Amino acid sequence: MDSRIEVIGGIDGSMAFVKNYILPILLPMLSAFLSYFISIRVFNRQENVKAEKKKIDVVNQSMCKLFSALTTLLQVKSNYYKGVCASTNPIERALMFPVVVIYGAPISIDVSELTCLISEGEGKVGESGSNETGKLDIIVIEDVLRRYNSLLEAIKLRNEFDKECRGKIISAAGSPVPSSRMKNDDIVNIIGANDAAFYIDISERLMLMIDGLIMDIYSLLKHFPEYSESLINKKKVKGYVKILKFEDLEVRYPLIDSPITRPSIGLMSHYLGYQEDEILNRYPYC
């Protein structure tokens, strides 16, 4: 009986020790650990939500800039397309390409931010003529930006040269647009053979550059948002803005699918001094 009383007393003493010494230390530690664990979970969730929202913002901002570039190029093309395609004579086509006035600065996109949308695997989005909707290739975006901004500089150069050529024509014919009585060879003689060759070359090259950029930007606008959307966790951004879609652009802007027609390769060879096969290699007409 005494032994039982001693055992019970020992247990009571142990419980008192735990209650008086262990629990006061353990409970705050458990509470602190639980609070820390919960705060980490909440923080990580907030950061994940923020990251998903950033993906949407980066995509929308980038695509809006590319869409602005597309409409600018289409506006430029609309000013010369009908006149240029109505003729096969290179010098006439150059004269049908008017001075281009472009408002706005070169496009700037921080493509490093788009790396959050790269996933494992191979594949490219946005290549001209490609229907592939696989993985994003940042090089495509960088290349489009570089070519577009280079095009703006090339347009400025052509504007200056166009002004010189038309000035010579005005002095000789009294009009910036030659009359039907003036033959194309007469125009070349007025401008000068070397300047005429450069005038034709830069005009044809610019029109081809514009066509190429239009198709590449169109392809990006068509495929990139769809691809990006597949990488967004929609549950985490419920109620937030959605990724912009650029649908039926080819219907709204028919010039997207309307490349410039090819000039006379024989006349191009005559004015530029290249063989016909060299002309075909140098100018990638459709």
Side-chain angles (χ1 to χ4, degrees):
M1 186 69 172
D2 292 338
S3 61
R4 293 181 180 179
I5 292 174
E6 290 178 359
V7 171
I8 293 173
I11 293 173
D12 289 340
S14 298
M15 292 297 294
F17 178 79
V18 171
K19 179 179 179 181
N20 294 329
Y21 296 100
I22 301 300
L23 289 181
I25 297 174
L26 186 61
L27 288 178
M29 291 177 62
L30 290 174
S31 177
F33 176 77
L34 184 60
S35 299
Y36 174 77
F37 178 75
I38 293 174
S39 64
I40 289 295
R41 288 292 300 273
V42 172
F43 175 79
N44 288 339
R45 175 175 172 77
Q46 290 176 340
E47 288 299 304
N48 289 336
V49 170
K50 188 186 297 184
E52 294 302 304
K53 289 182 177 180
K54 182 180 179 181
K55 288 180 184 179
I56 295 176
D57 293 339
V58 168
V59 172
N60 286 345
Q61 291 169 9
S62 301
M63 292 302 101
C64 283
K65 289 182 179 180
L66 287 175
F67 178 71
S68 176
L70 177 67
T71 55
T72 297
L73 293 173
L74 289 171
Q75 180 60 44
V76 171
K77 185 174 180 176
S78 68
N79 292 328
Y80 64 75
Y81 182 75
K82 289 184 178 180
V84 166
C85 291
S87 175
T88 59
N89 188 287
I91 194 68
E92 290 179 359
R93 288 159 63 94
L95 289 168
M96 288 296 177
F97 193 141
V99 170
V100 177
V101 179
I102 294 182
Y103 298 97
I107 294 181
S108 176
I109 295 176
D110 187 356
V111 293
S112 64
E113 292 187 343
L114 294 172
T115 56
C116 65
L117 294 165
I118 298 180
S119 60
E120 295 181 358
E122 298 180 351
K124 298 181 180 180
V125 172
E127 291 184 335
S128 180
S130 172
N131 294 320
E132 190 173 357
T133 58
K135 314 304 179 187
L136 166 68
D137 189 342
I138 296 298
I139 296 176
V140 177
I141 303 287
E142 289 184 315
D143 180 61
V144 166
L145 296 178
R146 177 188 59 78
R147 287 159 53 205
Y148 179 81
N149 293 334
S150 296
L151 176 71
L152 298 184
E153 294 301 317
I155 286 176
K156 292 178 183 179
L157 175 64
R158 187 195 177 277
N159 283 346
E160 295 174 0
F161 196 75
D162 181 79
K163 183 178 179 180
E164 294 180 12
C165 291
R166 292 184 191 274
K168 293 178 181 179
I169 294 172
I170 290 174
S171 298
S175 171
V177 180
S179 66
S180 58
R181 291 176 297 177
M182 185 176 290
K183 297 180 180 180
N184 293 315
D185 287 343
D186 295 332
I187 299 172
V188 172
N189 290 332
I190 291 171
I191 298 175
N194 290 335
D195 285 349
F198 180 75
Y199 193 35
I200 291 169
D201 178 68
I202 194 171
S203 298
E204 294 293 333
R205 281 182 173 276
L206 275 179
M207 290 186 287
L208 288 172
M209 287 174 65
I210 289 171
D211 276 355
L213 273 170
I214 285 174
M215 288 305 301
D216 287 345
I217 295 175
Y218 163 68
S219 186
L220 281 169
L221 291 173
K222 184 177 181 180
H223 300 302
F224 181 48
E226 179 183 345
Y227 162 73
S228 302
E229 190 175 49
S230 68
L231 300 180
I232 302 295
N233 190 328
K234 297 181 178 61
K235 293 181 180 179
K236 293 182 179 180
V237 291
K238 188 176 182 180
Y240 195 62
V241 296
K242 297 182 179 180
I243 288 181
L244 295 173
K245 298 290 184 65
F246 297 85
E247 299 175 342
D248 301 324
L249 288 176
E250 70 280 6
V251 177
R252 294 164 55 192
Y253 304 101
L255 283 180
I256 288 177
D257 286 333
S258 303
I260 60 167
T261 56
R262 193 168 72 171
S264 167
I265 302 302
L267 287 175
M268 288 282 286
S269 175
H270 171 70
Y271 288 128
L272 300 181
Y274 293 108
Q275 298 295 323
E276 292 191 9
D277 58 338
E278 293 177 312
I279 295 293
L280 293 173
N281 291 329
R282 188 179 178 88
Y283 304 92
Y285 297 103
C286 294

